Amino acid sequence: MFRLTLGQLPRTLRDNVGRRFGQLRSRCDSPAKAAPPPPPSPPPPPVPEELGLIQRIQQQVSGEIAGSTKSRAYLFGFYGALCNWFLGLSAVYDASQKGPEVISLKMTGVMLCYSTLFARWAGWAVSPRNYILAGSHIFNVIAQSNQLRRCLQYKLETEPGAKDEIAQLGTKVAAGAAIVTGAIVAGPTIQAAIAPYGPAYLSSAGGPFTIHPWPPMTKLMISGTSLLEFDRPTDKISLSQYSALTLTGAIFSFYGLAVTPINYPLTSVNILLCASSLWHVGRKIKADFM
């Protein structure tokens, strides 16, 4: 068998082989280098401070103002919320400039119901929340409560049968409040009970056992009250109140057409509100200024 030894190789090749072998041996004999230490982990992000109530409200309102131009729906919703402030302002104006004889007890009660439900819906139930709209209705509840106090006090002082009328009204209000409270408390239980049997809408998140369908219905109540007072004497018509109702009805009529999907019931209710309120505005202007 033929064997080739290192001495039989050419000198140049032999030197190269020896040099390579020496390098390999020195590497094997040298101690292993320690691995570099891992880089230090970054510090944890700072825990954000919990915002207080005022800061949260300011942050929410700033976001509503900044996002008001995103689309036509945001735009009409924003200006509609602003116009709702005129409802409370008109009540404050009437309280400071006019006597209690011009206050409509029916309309004041309906306005209280309307703003109470809308404040709850806009500030707590709907997402994203609309604090500008909720604030306008909370303000209107306060202003209309003062008007209700003035109206009741005036009736008790000037009308002999007012006490019985107010007692009947109080009974109706108490019954309505009990029904609404019972529906709110028992709503989840009723939804769970009818879910396997009834239509899906009855147990849905926007069904009749939730607050969502009812605030728009209160606008229908305002329109109905306005129509029932179709021939109300013009000296007892509040121009500021009906002007505010006309404006908010007009804006939310467009809002219902701008949202996706189009909300035709909301638009219809607001068109009726705008038309019925505009009728009284026209009567008042004709009687006082023409």
Side-chain angles (χ1 to χ4, degrees):
M1 183 176 180
F2 177 74
R3 293 183 178 179
L4 181 63
T5 63
L6 186 62
Q8 294 174 330
L9 293 174
R11 183 174 181 176
T12 304
L13 182 59
R14 188 171 61 247
D15 293 342
N16 289 336
V17 172
R19 186 168 54 254
R20 294 291 183 183
F21 181 76
Q23 292 175 352
L24 180 61
R25 185 174 180 178
S26 64
R27 290 179 183 178
C28 294
D29 293 342
S30 61
K33 294 182 178 180
S41 57
V47 179
E49 296 182 4
E50 185 176 354
L51 298 177
L53 177 62
I54 302 300
Q55 288 78 11
R56 289 201 302 269
I57 294 175
Q58 290 176 343
Q59 187 180 60
Q60 174 68 23
V61 172
S62 298
E64 293 173 15
I65 295 173
S68 62
T69 57
K70 287 182 179 178
S71 65
R72 292 177 67 245
Y74 279 94
L75 185 65
F76 284 120
F78 175 70
Y79 282 109
L82 291 182
C83 288
N84 265 290
W85 285 90
F86 288 111
L87 296 176
L89 290 173
S90 68
V92 172
Y93 173 81
D94 288 345
S96 61
Q97 300 295 326
K98 299 180 180 179
E101 66 278 0
V102 304
I103 302 174
S104 169
L105 183 59
K106 294 179 180 177
M107 180 61 78
T108 302
V110 171
M111 291 282 282
L112 277 169
C113 178
Y114 159 71
S115 283
T116 301
L117 284 176
F118 253 107
R120 171 69 176 85
W121 176 80
W124 286 269
V126 74
S127 180
R129 295 176 180 178
N130 191 332
Y131 281 3
I132 296 178
L133 183 60
S136 70
H137 284 293
I138 293 173
F139 176 56
N140 191 41
V141 168
I142 297 171
Q144 296 297 336
S145 297
N146 179 55
Q147 289 291 82
L148 179 63
R149 176 195 63 80
R150 296 176 67 227
C151 181
L152 294 178
Q153 183 178 356
Y154 173 77
K155 284 182 173 293
L156 288 174
E157 293 174 354
T158 59
E159 298 180 11
K163 191 172 183 179
D164 293 335
E165 179 186 356
I166 293 172
Q168 294 177 0
L169 180 62
T171 302
K172 294 178 181 178
V173 171
I179 293 173
V180 172
T181 303
I184 293 174
V185 173
T189 304
I190 297 174
Q191 284 181 304
I194 65 177
Y197 312 104
Y201 172 69
L202 295 180
S203 57
S204 67
F209 298 104
T210 67
I211 194 174
H212 297 285
W214 299 112
M217 294 301 297
T218 56
K219 285 198 171 183
L220 187 60
M221 294 170 57
I222 295 176
S223 301
T225 304
S226 180
L227 292 173
L228 289 175
E229 297 181 339
F230 198 73
D231 56 350
R232 183 177 176 83
T234 55
D235 59 327
K236 294 186 177 182
I237 291 177
S238 170
L239 182 60
S240 58
Q241 182 183 69
Y242 278 107
S243 297
L245 288 172
T246 301
L247 186 58
T248 186
I251 291 179
F252 277 104
S253 297
F254 289 102
Y255 174 78
L257 297 175
V259 297
T260 303
I262 295 175
N263 194 328
Y264 289 110
L266 180 61
T267 297
S268 302
V269 167
N270 280 284
I271 289 175
L272 182 59
L273 174 63
C274 178
S276 59
S277 301
L278 186 61
W279 165 257
H280 289 291
V281 170
R283 293 179 63 225
K284 182 68 173 177
I285 291 175
K286 181 178 180 180
D288 292 0
F289 304 104
M290 293 184 180

